[in-house]
Amino acid sequence: MALLSIITAPDPRLKIISTPVDDVNGEIRKLIADMYETMYFAPGIGLAAIQVGVQKRLLVLDIIGKGDKDNDPQPLAIINPEITWASDNDACYEEGCLSVPEHYADVVRPAEIKLNYLDVDGKKQKLHADGLLATCLQHEIDHLDGILFVDHISALKRNMILRKLLKQKKMAS
Ligand code: NI
């Protein structure tokens, strides 16, 4: 396994629309293993392939995480996700993102979703998610379409965050 470097905003690669995985093979499973390692190390609760520069429709998440001593980790790898239903009622969570480090904002999304996807064995799966899992899935699926959580907040707040990140990048380079 290997730690992958995470792309941070603003970066044009984070706006790319990722393409479906056509074969869930050893190369994809290796990528998923590396993405888990990268996510747990960061640490974060979700990571989409495009965040490590791979333009494929896959993501990993674990809303429990390895740091929680009272609960077992719940790693979940989702390939080619399709949201088939979203609830009318919404939920609001304070979201963050490994590609938008150290910035957080309240985002409103459907409270529940249903999803079709492929698992690591390439088998079709269905999932009915609510709570934090539903929010996290929608956040990660957004990445596959080039959307960041800051695209769901006011332009004023978004631009403020992106300007700060750009300034940090310039200072670091
Ligand atoms: Ni994110």
Side-chain angles (χ1 to χ4, degrees):
M1 292 208 290
L3 279 181
L4 307 169
S5 70
I6 297 173
I7 297 168
T8 57
D11 189 305
R13 288 172 291 179
L14 294 171
K15 294 191 183 287
I16 289 169
I17 296 175
S18 296
T19 53
V21 174
D22 48 25
D23 181 20
V24 184
N25 54 26
E27 196 183 324
I28 292 294
R29 280 187 282 274
K30 162 96 172 54
L31 172 63
I32 287 169
D34 289 345
M35 284 171 61
Y36 275 132
E37 193 182 5
T38 304
M39 176 183 77
Y40 286 126
F41 180 79
I45 60 171
L47 186 68
I50 192 64
Q51 292 178 274
V52 293
V54 180
Q55 302 170 21
K56 295 220 181 290
R57 300 187 78 80
L58 75 92
L59 58 97
V60 297
L61 53 87
D62 186 340
I63 59 165
I64 302 295
K66 278 194 170 163
D68 185 337
K69 291 184 204 77
D70 301 326
N71 295 290
D72 289 332
Q74 288 180 3
L76 186 59
I78 302 273
I79 301 165
N80 297 346
E82 269 178 64
I83 293 174
T84 56
W85 173 84
S87 63
D88 289 331
N89 57 316
D90 292 329
C92 180
Y93 278 91
E94 187 179 58
E95 295 188 23
C97 179
L98 294 175
S99 293
V100 188
E102 287 164 44
H103 292 277
Y104 303 88
D106 285 340
V107 178
V108 175
R109 301 180 186 272
E112 285 176 65
I113 56 164
K114 287 181 183 174
L115 192 75
N116 290 344
Y117 67 98
L118 300 178
D119 65 17
V120 288
D121 297 315
K123 289 204 184 91
K124 285 183 189 170
Q125 300 288 351
K126 283 181 196 292
L127 184 63
H128 185 170
D130 63 5
L132 180 58
L133 181 60
T135 286
C136 189
L137 280 164
Q138 291 172 82
H139 173 122
E140 299 308 328
I141 292 168
D142 267 356
H143 276 299
L144 308 183
D145 293 316
I147 298 165
L148 297 175
F149 81 87
V150 291
D151 294 317
H152 291 284
I153 64 178
S154 74
L156 188 74
K157 192 154 188 212
R158 173 170 61 250
N159 291 334
M160 195 180 75
I161 291 172
L162 292 174
R163 267 201 308 273
K164 280 185 186 164
L165 289 170
L166 187 61
K167 205 170 156 188
Q168 282 169 4
K169 273 191 179 188
K170 280 182 179 162
M171 279 162 62
S173 66

